[in-house]
Amino acid sequence: MAVDMDVEELLIIEDSNLIIRQAQGEWETRDIKLIPYRKNVEDLSKWFKSVEFRYIPRFHNELVDALATLASMLPYSGNIHIDPLEIQIQERHGYYNAIEIELDVQLWYHDIKRFLKTK
């Protein structure tokens, strides 16, 4: 799609360090099933002025995971137009969890601790 849109500079972000290192050519691709994909990445990279592969840890990738989950729930025939999705990031969470602790209640490990002390 990026080739068809005449994109010149491409940033590819992935949460698999293995895939990023293999795509950059830093690590060898040994799995025989993945070698054609690596070759395809090399061939496609020639269409762009620059291609950057960036690793992002999975725990920083929550928004992408949420969008992928949302996309997997929507039927798509391939011939329809989908309007862009506008996302607003809030400064704080939209939910609130409160846990009230009663001061006179023993902690969860009280009985275990007493057993270990007294046998």
Side-chain angles (χ1 to χ4, degrees), residues 74-87:
L74 299 174
Y76 178 64
S77 66
N79 296 329
I80 58 172
H81 173 76
I82 298 176
D83 291 326
L85 182 62
E86 183 178 326
I87 299 172

Side-chain angles (χ1 to χ4, degrees), residues 1 15 17-18 29 38-39 42 44 46 49 52 54 59 62 75-77 79 85 91-93 100 108 110 114 117:
M1 182 172 37
D15 62 7
N17 193 31
L18 173 66
T29 305
R38 171 68 184 123
K39 176 72 173 121
E42 288 176 8
L44 286 172
K46 295 174 185 173
K49 285 185 180 177
E52 180 185 346
R54 190 177 301 165
F59 61 87
E62 294 168 338
Y76 178 64
S77 66
N79 296 329
L85 182 62
E91 293 292 322
R92 53 193 159 118
H93 294 291
E100 294 183 20
W108 66 269
H110 173 73
R114 187 182 62 191
K117 281 184 177 179

